Amino acid sequence: METDVLIIGGGPAGLNAAFEPASNGMNVTIIDESFSFGGQLRSQTQYFDHLPRPFNRERGTNLSRKLIDRLLPFDVDFLPQHTFVGKYKDGTIGVSHKNEVIPINAKKVIIATGAAEEAIMFPGWTLPGVMTIGAAQILMNRDRVMPGKDAIIVGSNEFAFDVVQQLKDVGANVHGIVESDSQMRLQNSQKIEAFKNLGIPLYVNASITEAQGKGKVEKVFLGRNGEKINLDVDLICIAGGLMSILEPFEIMDCKLVYNQALGGWIPEYDKHFETSNQSTYVAGNAAGITSIGGILTTGELTGVSVMASLGVLKSEEAAERKRDLWHQLYQIEGIQRPDTYHARLAAIKDFNTSKDRTLTK
Amino acid sequence: MDQSTIVCRCEEINIDEIETAIKMGAETFDDIKRLTRCGMGPCQAKVCMNLVRQLIYDYAGKPLSDIPPARLRMPLKVTRMETLASNDSPSSSSSVISVFNESASNQGGDIREK
């Protein structure tokens, strides 16, 4: 199979990266290991703000539909249940589908495989009834299954609070949020207000010391400054944050770098989101953990870069578009998550410096 | 934390086993993997990798930026045996085994010839 642009991962970053090349007449192939496209947006019923043009405040589920719908008029092949498993020596991508492997030859590859949730370890964390916050959300909003009746949440990031609201909406009791830090990590003042109205206890400087139960979670023990608290719960949701998915980059021979503010190990890339492998680009959370606005904007930037490098876009026009998108990224990520934005700029600068050094050698 | 707490749930490796490996000189995730089978189960280290990196940091004081991620190999995802075994189609490049061969030949071996 031949394609102009192969996009690995059909979530918000991949779908948005597809738009520019597709709407300019290029053939784009998007593969995703799941049954349908949209990635995690498909189960995110919460509203998202601070989205790049042309999107406005929107529920994740609706946003997912819009991202797919606007690609439909163009030459885009959507390949669900297609998994990237490896690479051939000549750079051809190996994609498995059911019981066959399909070699895909692409002029450019965009890796938009997103992020995975981090685990938090405590005695009993492997009992049924302990799951990540994202898993609880998938059960509720995609599979229509109650993950539990009596829940406790470990970690207090924004995503945790969104899912707390959704757990309440389906009739679960939320008995508390446990945060090891001295204050909650959620920064959004509107959401903090909404949370206060729910009357759910917030345990700061606290952690789970143990989860107990026969075959499933029945009891959780919390430690807070030497004080012991125990609660009867059947669901423990872990909100440990996100890390970029790295496997595809290693297979594509892209160099990795450690950057704590961007979520740990990430691929190295320049301001065009090109990795150390010149045929491979990165977009979205795979390029460092950010907000949905950052995911969409980096996706579009990558799409424009790919067009420019294939000569579809004139270099002045491409430079103009990229300037505009970097400005949008500043307005969205730079304001909402300044640490992420500045870490990203620093990482790009470091990568350029190391590239320059290689060139002058 | 209790030393019997599981770190790698696929292979049921606990904190004590990880710390023993560190005492024996393990410095990276891959060192621990080779000594204990940690990260070699169905999830292929997707859940335990950072937990182990954190334990190396806690126990040996090595900064997280100096503890590389696990070595990741093809095939990246769980793949049917049927797919792995089917190498008799006219275009042999249509099976994973050819992907395997190319990665293996880098390290001096061809699966088909063995």
Side-chain angles (χ1 to χ4, degrees), chain A residues 5-42:
Chain A
V5 182
L6 172 66
I7 300 180
I8 301 170
L15 293 171
N16 215 34
F19 184 74
E20 282 297 329
S23 61
N24 280 279
M26 306 185 79
N27 168 257
V28 179
T29 302
I30 314 178
I31 61 167
D32 197 287
E33 64 181 347
S34 177
F35 291 88
S36 46
F37 287 81
Q40 289 310 310
L41 282 181
R42 278 195 296 138

Side-chain angles (χ1 to χ4, degrees), chain A residues 33 83-89 98-99 101 118-119 121-123 125-126 243 247 250-251 256 258 265, chain B residues 5-7 9 46 50 53 64-65 67 69 71-72 74-77 82-83 93-94 96 98-99 102:
Chain A
E33 64 181 347
T83 309
F84 169 50
V85 287
K87 180 185 64 131
Y88 298 87
K89 235 182 249 163
K98 294 178 179 164
N99 53 4
V101 171
E118 298 260 19
M121 193 169 50
F122 48 82
W125 75 289
T126 54
M243 55 178 167
E247 290 93 327
E250 183 146 346
I251 299 301
L256 304 177
Y258 186 79
W265 287 96
Chain B
T5 306
I6 299 285
V7 183
R9 52 199 303 165
K46 285 178 182 63
N50 280 345
R53 289 181 56 248
L64 286 170
S65 54
I67 310 170
R71 174 84 170 90
L72 311 155
M74 298 189 258
L76 282 183
K77 288 285 159 83
E82 189 185 355
T83 314
S93 67
S94 73
V96 163
S98 60
V99 181
E102 296 206 353

Side-chain angles (χ1 to χ4, degrees), chain A residues 301-342:
Chain A
L301 251 164
T302 306
V304 170
S305 295
V306 163
M307 278 201 303
S309 72
L310 289 175
V312 180
L313 211 58
K314 286 202 192 92
S315 56
E316 308 91 71
E317 201 188 339
E320 179 62 35
R321 289 291 317 278
K322 283 185 207 167
R323 246 196 314 276
D324 174 57
L325 285 165
W326 267 105
H327 184 65
Q328 278 200 61
L329 188 62
Y330 166 71
Q331 286 176 321
I332 292 167
E333 185 180 78
I335 306 290
Q336 239 189 327
R337 300 177 61 122
D339 294 352
T340 307
Y341 181 75
H342 292 293

